[in-house]
Amino acid sequence: MALSNVRICFVGDSFVNGTGDSECLGWTGRICSAAIELGHDVTYYNLGIRRETSADIAARWLAEVSRRLPENCDRRIVFSFGVNDTTIEDGKPRVELTKTLENTQQILSIAKTSFSILMVSPPPITEVEQNSRIEALSQELAVICEQLNVPYLDVFTPLQKSEVWLKEVAANDSYHPKAAGYSEYANLVQKWDAWQSWLNS
């Protein structure tokens, strides 16, 4: 059965925004385009902002999604963030791991009371040391999501093995892929049981 009057906000950082994609779709636009092609009535809002950390997102997400997700529709949110938290500036991560986890706990705990929500892990980049921090964060985010009963997708592990993703990130800016890399990312989300259940619910 096709979904009707569904509105989805994708909240996060530059990877949610689709930075680097000449087609201006990223992974979020691709999965929503595919859903619409299947006959689902989906309105899609991209709320990804470059360089934003979990602290930035915690401060803005509720006001932004509330304007876009009125109570008379099927209200859904996909969260994805974390790479910027792990970036070293002035000799330390922009957001310490414990604070990122606190922010995430707060965001998801509030969101799940009013919206149907999913969370997608941060992806890998080319920098080995930062990737180890991203991977550790992803594992901790999975624990929080399990405790809160929020479906969580690890894209870090498969993308770290994706030749297309790694080649495009390396050839671009060491962080973001181009269109083919985002297609790889989108394919992972489209095949995810939780996303499929959303579309068929």
Side-chain angles (χ1 to χ4, degrees):
M1 188 177 77
L3 294 175
S4 178
N5 195 23
V6 172
R7 301 191 190 186
I8 307 174
C9 287
F10 291 84
V11 180
D13 51 24
S14 56
F15 295 101
V16 168
N17 170 259
T19 300
D21 181 4
S22 62
E23 297 176 15
C24 297
L25 288 169
W27 61 271
T28 60
R30 283 178 169 80
I31 64 173
C32 288
S33 176
I36 290 167
E37 284 182 15
L38 291 172
H40 299 296
D41 176 16
V42 172
T43 300
Y44 146 69
Y45 296 103
N46 189 313
L47 302 179
I49 299 180
R50 295 187 72 169
R51 280 188 54 79
E52 285 220 334
T53 67
S54 62
D56 299 314
I57 291 162
R60 72 175 171 91
W61 78 269
L62 184 55
E64 293 191 4
V65 303
S66 295
R67 296 288 297 271
R68 293 164 176 85
L69 304 178
E71 291 187 8
N72 64 350
C73 69
D74 188 334
R75 309 189 296 169
R76 308 187 184 196
I77 308 171
V78 181
F79 291 99
S80 185
F81 51 80
V83 172
N84 293 319
D85 291 50
T86 68
T87 300
I88 299 296
E89 286 187 356
D90 301 322
K92 61 182 181 180
R94 289 183 61 200
V95 181
E96 295 290 348
L97 177 59
T98 53
K99 187 59 181 174
T100 301
L101 300 180
E102 284 178 22
N103 291 336
T104 304
Q105 180 93 26
Q106 178 195 44
I107 291 166
L108 299 183
S109 296
I110 295 170
K112 73 190 295 279
T113 64
S114 301
F115 308 96
S116 178
I117 65 173
L118 303 176
M119 186 163 192
V120 177
S121 80
I125 58 171
T126 58
E127 213 271 312
V128 174
E129 288 188 7
Q130 187 167 355
N131 271 345
S132 68
R133 294 191 296 275
I134 296 170
E135 184 174 24
L137 171 58
S138 177
Q139 291 169 353
E140 295 285 354
L141 295 177
V143 172
I144 289 175
C145 286
E146 184 176 10
Q147 291 170 344
L148 293 175
N149 198 29
V150 173
Y152 181 77
L153 177 65
D154 169 23
V155 296
F156 180 91
T157 303
L159 288 178
Q160 205 174 29
K161 300 171 186 173
S162 165
E163 189 175 336
V164 172
W165 175 271
L166 296 175
K167 275 189 174 179
E168 286 210 343
V169 170
N172 194 20
D173 63 359
S174 300
Y175 279 86
H176 307 96
K178 296 186 178 180
Y182 280 113
S183 290
E184 292 272 298
Y185 195 138
N187 287 338
L188 294 171
V189 182
Q190 279 182 274
K191 293 174 183 175
W192 183 24
D193 289 347
W195 177 255
Q196 289 294 324
S197 295
W198 250 24
L199 295 185
N200 295 316
S201 62

